[in-house]
Structure formats: structure tokens, C-alpha cells
Amino acid sequence: MKTKKRHLPLGLLMAAGLALTALAQADDAVVKVNPLGSHDGEFCSRDRALIFEDPNGTRILYDAGRTVAGPDDPRLGNIDVILVSHMHGDHVGDQRIDKTNQGSCGNPETSVSSLPQSNTVDIALKKKSTIVTGSEMPAFFAAKLNEVATENGKVVAGTRTARFTELVSAAVHVPLSGRTMAFNGAAGCISGCN
């Protein structure tokens, strides 16, 4: 019995130590958000695609749309899940870019047809990803800015994006294509945010 009593507190201490270590690691975990837009370093009118990377390595592509250059786009890497917000062509990718920085930020070159499938389906097949979608999103989330929001990586004054950043009291991080944003366990941006 003495042996069991001695091990019980040690076991509890070890369990508590492991729990505290796990909590500390969760606080140090970094979630990465990588925008995949039509023009590097900008937030353009047709940009929709984002990759969310969990600390455990899971990678979720949100709205492949028209600014991902198909399944062989070198910015993709491994994709586990593709999340589609709603079934409009600019979100599933009825057409797409051939490569980044073609055309202008306001009118990117999206001459590659993805029909009869979609950019989303093409990527899912090549990457062996699962597609997740639901019914149409509420109008608030489905509303699109459809504007050139940045120039040289800075928000353009007078745009709806500029107005939004002025009105919101929380931190706003504009998704600039090719610039990965990283967030810690407290949701604070630790790199890549403007």
C-alpha cells in the first residue's frame, strides 16, 4: 500500500505536468492563413481563395475560385479539405488564371475554362481532397466587395475595404496574395499582417 500511495501523487503530478505542457503548446500553436490571389502582394477584385493551415498540418482551401491556377498551382501544396462557401462560379472556379500576375488587379486574366467541372473539382481530384459545402450562405457573408482594395500592398482610400477597416473596432488584416498570415493560440497575428 505504501508504494501505491507514493505513486499516486507522483502520477497526479505527472498528469498535471502533461496537461500544463499541452496547454502551453496550444497557446504557442500557430495557425497560418495564406491568401491565393491573382496578383502577388495585393487584394484584388476577384480574390477569394485562402489556405488555412492548422498546427497539426491539416490544410483547408477556402473557395478555390478563379485565382488558383488549377491543381498544379505551386502555391497549393497538400490540400486535405476544400471548403466552398456557396455555388457561384467565382467561388467554385468556372474559369481560372493560368498563372499569377496576368492582366490587372481590377481585371485579372482568367481565360482558362474549368468547365464542365470546376477549379474546385479539378483540385480535389488531383489532391485527393474532400469537398465540404452547404446551402447558400446568408446574404451578409455572400456579399462580395468586387473592388480593387489595395495598390502596392496598401488599402486604397475611399474603397469599401478602407471604410470597413475604419468602422470595425477589432483588428482587420487584409489578405494580400502570397503573404502568409500567422496567428497564435490567442488569435493574435504574429507575422504577415499589415
Side-chain angles (χ1 to χ4, degrees):
M1 290 300 278
K2 287 183 181 181
T3 304
K4 286 184 181 178
K5 286 183 183 178
R6 285 184 190 162
H7 287 354
L8 181 60
L10 179 61
L12 287 175
L13 286 174
M14 288 177 60
L18 287 173
L20 289 173
T21 300
L23 285 174
Q25 288 174 344
D27 285 343
D28 293 338
V30 174
V31 173
K32 295 178 182 175
V33 181
N34 190 10
L36 303 180
S38 65
H39 285 72
D40 294 335
E42 302 293 351
F43 181 38
C44 299
S45 61
R46 296 186 191 168
D47 293 354
R48 308 285 186 265
L50 299 167
I51 293 177
F52 297 93
E53 185 173 345
D54 190 76
N56 71 8
T58 300
R59 292 171 49 88
I60 300 171
L61 173 60
Y62 175 78
D63 280 354
R66 296 174 177 160
T67 62
V68 175
D72 296 319
D73 189 319
R75 302 174 298 170
L76 282 175
N78 293 328
I79 298 295
D80 300 295
V81 175
I82 302 174
L83 178 62
V84 179
S85 65
H86 62 282
M87 301 307 288
H88 289 168
D90 60 328
H91 292 262
V92 297
D94 56 347
Q95 58 191 21
R96 65 174 176 80
I97 62 173
D98 182 47
K99 58 184 176 179
T100 58
N101 303 313
Q102 303 300 302
S104 67
C105 191
N107 190 23
E109 177 62 43
T110 56
S111 60
V112 179
S113 175
S114 298
L115 300 176
Q117 297 182 149
S118 68
N119 202 15
T120 298
V121 170
D122 292 343
I123 293 167
L125 289 171
K126 178 91 180 231
K127 302 290 184 179
K128 297 182 169 79
S129 308
T130 300
I131 298 174
V132 177
T133 190
S135 63
E136 289 288 317
M137 305 299 281
F140 176 79
F141 294 109
K144 299 179 278 297
L145 293 174
N146 288 328
E147 67 179 0
V148 175
T150 62
E151 187 173 309
N152 297 318
K154 303 290 183 199
V155 175
V156 175
T159 61
R160 287 174 278 185
T161 301
R163 183 74 177 134
F164 178 78
T165 61
E166 293 165 5
L167 294 174
V168 174
S169 59
V172 175
H173 306 291
V174 178
L176 301 177
S177 180
R179 189 173 300 168
T180 299
M181 297 180 284
F183 298 86
N184 63 19
C189 186
I190 59 172
S191 70
C193 299
N194 48 337

